[in-house]
Amino acid sequence: MNSTLGYGLILAGLACAGFGAVVGIATGMAGRISGLAWVRRAVVGFFVCMVAANLLMVFALLTHDFSVKYVAHVGSRSTPTVFTVVSLWSALEGSILFWGAILGAYVLAFSVAFRKEQSRYVSLALGMMMAVGVFFAFLIAGPANPWTPMSPVPLDGPGPNPLLQNHILMVVHPPMLYCGYVGMVVPFGIATAALLGGQLGEAWTGSLRRWTLIPWTFLSVGIILGSWWAYAVLGWGGYWAWDPVENASFLPWLTATAFIHSTMVHERRKTLKLWTLSLVLATFLLTILGTFMTRSGIFNSVHSFTQSDIGPTFLSFIAILLVFSIALLSARGHLLIPEGQIQSPLSRESAILVNNLLFVGVTFTVLLGTLFPLVTEAVKGVRISVGEPYFNKMSVPGGLAILFLMGVGPALPWGEADRRLIGKQLLIPLATAAAVLAVCLALGLRGVLPLLTFALGGFVAAINIRELVVPARIRISQHGEAPWTALFRSASRARRRFGGYVVHLGMVVILVAIAASHSYVTRTSGTVRIGSALKVGDYQVKLLGFDEGVEPHRTWRAAKMELVGSGEVLRPRMNFFERSTDPIGTPAVKSTPLGDLYLSLMALSEDGQSATLNAWVFPLVGWIWWSIPILVAGALIAMWPQRQSRRAMAPAIGAAASSSSKLRETA
Amino acid sequence: MSWRWSVLLAAAACTALVVILAKGFGKDPHQVPFMLAGKPAPAFSLQKLDGSGKVTLSELKGHPVVINFWATWCGPCKVEHPVLDWGYRQYGRQAEFLGVVFEDTVENSRAFLKQSPTPFPQLVDPQSQTAVDYGVAGVPETYFIDAQGTIRGKHVGPLSLDALTARIKDLVQPVAQAR
Amino acid sequence: MGSALPLAILLSTALADFAPQQAGSEPLEPALEARVQRLGKQLRCAVCQGLSISDSPASMARAQLDKVRAMVSEGKSDEEIRDYFVARYGEWVLLQPEAHGVNWLVWLGPVALLLIGFAVIARQLQKKPAAAPQASTEQQAKRPVQAPGDEDEYLARVRAELDR
């Protein structure tokens, strides 16, 4: 019953999406808004069908209805409830179903946000987003169907992958990532609508930016949470392995970040239009490519699923999107001719242009490295690996250059810069950098790359903090406001700017933490008997004994390690799941603001008298996860809508074709 | 004019991307390359599990050798156990059969073999150094070495009766005829 | 822990199908062990999803690392150790591609892209607009551009303030 109902909902969703796509695009291209009301209804219908299908699947999982193929595939009576719900997105078919629901939610949100807007552009945008919805609904109905009825009905299932039941982060990381990934459909819809409609109005570039910032925030949080999960769960002491699927999530983040900067130049100078639009289209394409990489089974990855029919279907969609994007950009080339010009190399515009290039360079590097094993296999028939050493080597220079630009960009003004003035303004930041370097050298830290990162971090932080504080200082001196009020008001008056600089500060924290935890890590491994201690860095851990436990879905053994000096007991453990022959370790981590002590249990002796451990001290690694509030705060400030309408803004050209509308930036 | 060139370049790059991805289908990304086929088998000298002495590869020169890497914790290894038994009974005169325990303890292996004994010798591989020497990437794997001491090939995964028969027939032929 | 015995029996039967996590060989003295770990970072674990043998907790990775340790203590060079593994597992076992033949693409491709990109940008920036006002470049610096949106007169004063 669940199967039929679920499948029916998917087919209904496919019908709604198809209807919405056809009507939206057809009427939008013809310049009419007659179909808009129906398109909006189709969007609501798609949303309702998708969400209902997801809820039904969760219901089937919770009631252990093994007559549904997906439940038989990932469900199990012995899995704890929270992980049963999580198994909705833990395997291939369920994750595509989940994708459909989030897609429906985003498109509905866009439709609601622009509910007062009656323009062909909304029609086109919704139509394009529904077209993407058609693809995913088709996938769920066809190659990735989770609803196939099982016969005979099994009594129990194998349960989700044990790795996914080990930690609570698994509950949060995928939804965050999906909200980021899927959300990129909206900017895609807006951009293609503007291009198809033939006009790139200012209001649309504003919406484009805001509707990219929302998924960007989710994506950033999702990626960081993912690396936190890898760190806290997998026990190898790393948080980023340059795994193909990790790279797949990183690529659209890179182009989205580049877009967020490029669009500033687009709005102010009416140039870099081709860059900006290409970056938006590329971001969406990369999300689809990323989904393909995860689900096609042609990549060797921790996340990969087995090969299925889904791969060729996805690849066809990618090919169609590529053809469509190139055709659209070249057909509408006349819209992308710059109206302004970058006046001088020493200006914020050119800094952003260089920034664009660097981001595209890093994106290209990561993409090439991830795909290269496929290239050599196709060309030479030889299998090679492109792993961490390559990516670390190739991304460090680009990363440092981008860090440098994060400081120089805000320091440079729009237009042309006076060299002397810039020189004067950079004095304090350079002094800060030198001071940071001196302190590090005094502390005994060595190594060109980490010291350079720290110095640049100081430089960038100084510039960004000054840019945040100076407007407040002016308000204090001119309006006599109290400091916090002044800060708040100055932020509120210039949200994009303030939020952007806060995000820059968050990124500095991340890059400094990465440099520190990578370059100054201490590692020891050894076998200790009960009563003896292992020394790692400044810590000593003594083996007290062992703990054991049995849970419905796993059994575990832990080593009780006492931290000599503080008496704290850490319990790194090995979890044994039914489905796998190798145990999955859970490391024990002691976090302090200055670094983490990380213990991973590698082996237990048969006589129960000794344990083999890997131990690390990672300086500053916790700062990576603690930057999440900074990034989120900055992004929220930047995207917070202004209450008063922007009278200074020229009326949206995009609305010219339709009836007049007061275009507010409500979205 | 440069407009056209950019479009062409973009189109070419995208086509290359799609072609490369398409070529990835049908291949198993988890397959580990094996380079020792046709090369001399690495030498080893390992203790027998029952404690009755050593087996040295060089002493077996002149006879084809079948080496099976297995472990007690490996399900498919247990599945192929009777196949290897049968193989030994059929072809034990033509080829030497050896089992090597991979990443397991002596106690586990002895306990398993007490329940399901094998007629051919089982060897202990301390710290799996011989397995690494042979390029083992998991269990079960079975290596087929000819009378001259060259590795003809290896079978990854549990053996079936047909696969084993085919391999052994191939093994006992001299190289020239082994096409 | 009075009920330890039944629990132990339960665990031993439950754990029957798990690879026993035996310790690897003993670490060498610090300088050599550091070399072992460094080499380990370059070699791929044969059963994992892209982890190096230094990072992977799998038993196969431990066996491979033991081999590296044995070879380092025998005095073999880094290249000999890498060649040893390549002879058995192919180039696949090296976590970064050797620079020869087609592989040069992956090492030089990004560099080429950046160089070409910088060249294009430099050319674009050098092309001064023909009808641009040559005079009053200082005026332009003093009078910041009024951008639509949040940079209003107040912020213009900020700029003026900073320019002082």
Side-chain angles (χ1 to χ4, degrees), chain B residues 15 85 133 141 168 179:
Chain B
T15 316
D85 256 7
D133 226 2
E141 286 189 7
I168 301 231
R179 274 282 152 237

Side-chain angles (χ1 to χ4, degrees), chain A residues 643-656:
Chain A
R643 214 171 284 276
Q644 56 272 47
S645 59
R646 308 281 185 79
R647 305 215 186 281
M649 204 171 66
I653 306 170

Side-chain angles (χ1 to χ4, degrees), chain C residues 31-153:
Chain C
L32 285 178
E33 183 64 23
R35 194 173 145 220
V36 168
Q37 294 297 331
R38 201 173 29 86
L39 271 167
K41 277 275 194 183
Q42 298 171 16
L43 294 168
R44 183 170 181 161
C45 156
V47 301
C48 316
Q49 321 282 22
L51 280 183
S52 72
I53 57 180
S54 287
D55 293 328
S56 168
S59 47
M60 178 82 220
R62 220 175 9 255
Q64 286 174 272
L65 196 63
D66 286 346
K67 186 55 133 186
V68 173
R69 207 173 267 133
M71 290 181 88
V72 164
S73 57
E74 280 167 26
K76 296 263 174 21
S77 75
D78 283 4
E79 197 170 326
E80 285 176 315
I81 297 178
R82 277 195 292 268
D83 286 344
Y84 173 88
F85 279 95
V86 171
R88 279 142 185 83
Y89 295 99
E91 275 187 50
W92 174 92
V93 80
L94 296 173
L95 277 171
Q96 56 183 19
E98 301 248 285
H100 56 69
V102 182
N103 293 352
W104 277 115
L105 260 176
V106 81
W107 286 108
L108 296 181
V111 180
L113 180 83
L114 281 176
L115 286 176
I116 295 174
F118 275 120
V120 170
I121 291 179
R123 221 161 42 111
Q124 265 191 333
L125 289 177
Q126 263 169 17
K127 265 197 295 200
K128 276 279 186 251
Q134 293 294 344
S136 66
T137 43
E138 282 175 37
Q139 261 184 22
Q140 276 200 350
K142 287 269 165 39
R143 196 175 27 90
V145 177
Q146 284 284 15
D150 22 42
E151 303 240 22
D152 54 8
E153 325 85 48

Side-chain angles (χ1 to χ4, degrees), chain B residues 121-142:
Chain B
Q122 294 288 347
L123 306 175
V124 182
D125 183 12
Q127 279 161 348
S128 301
Q129 296 300 284
T130 306
V132 175
D133 226 2
Y134 272 74
V136 169
V139 279
E141 286 189 7
T142 315

Side-chain angles (χ1 to χ4, degrees), chain B residues 5-40:
Chain B
W5 281 115
S6 316
V7 174
L8 268 169
L9 193 62
C14 293
T15 316
L17 173 68
V18 176
V19 166
I20 298 285
L21 290 174
K23 283 207 158 186
F25 289 125
K27 300 214 174 67
D28 180 8
H30 300 281
Q31 203 182 44
V32 179
F34 177 59
M35 309 300 287
L36 287 181
K39 302 269 181 6

Side-chain angles (χ1 to χ4, degrees), chain A residues 155-243:
Chain A
L155 289 169
D156 200 353
N161 189 314
L163 259 178
L164 306 176
Q165 298 181 57
N166 231 17
H167 200 271
I168 201 72
L169 263 177
M170 207 47 217
V171 179
V172 191
H173 156 66
M176 280 282 135
L177 211 54
Y178 276 96
C179 285
Y181 240 47
V182 182
M184 297 300 177
V185 167
V186 179
F188 173 74
I190 298 175
T192 47
L195 284 170
L196 281 172
Q199 278 170 338
L200 290 175
E202 276 177 33
W204 279 112
T205 48
S207 316
L208 198 52
R209 179 182 34 89
R210 190 165 272 133
W211 283 90
T212 307
L213 207 46
I214 298 172
W216 179 93
T217 315
F218 280 115
L219 191 54
S220 312
V221 174
I223 293 176
I224 299 177
L225 283 182
S227 33
W228 193 2
W229 176 79
Y231 175 79
V233 174
L234 294 181
W236 54 278
Y239 44 82
W240 190 261
W242 297 104
D243 182 80

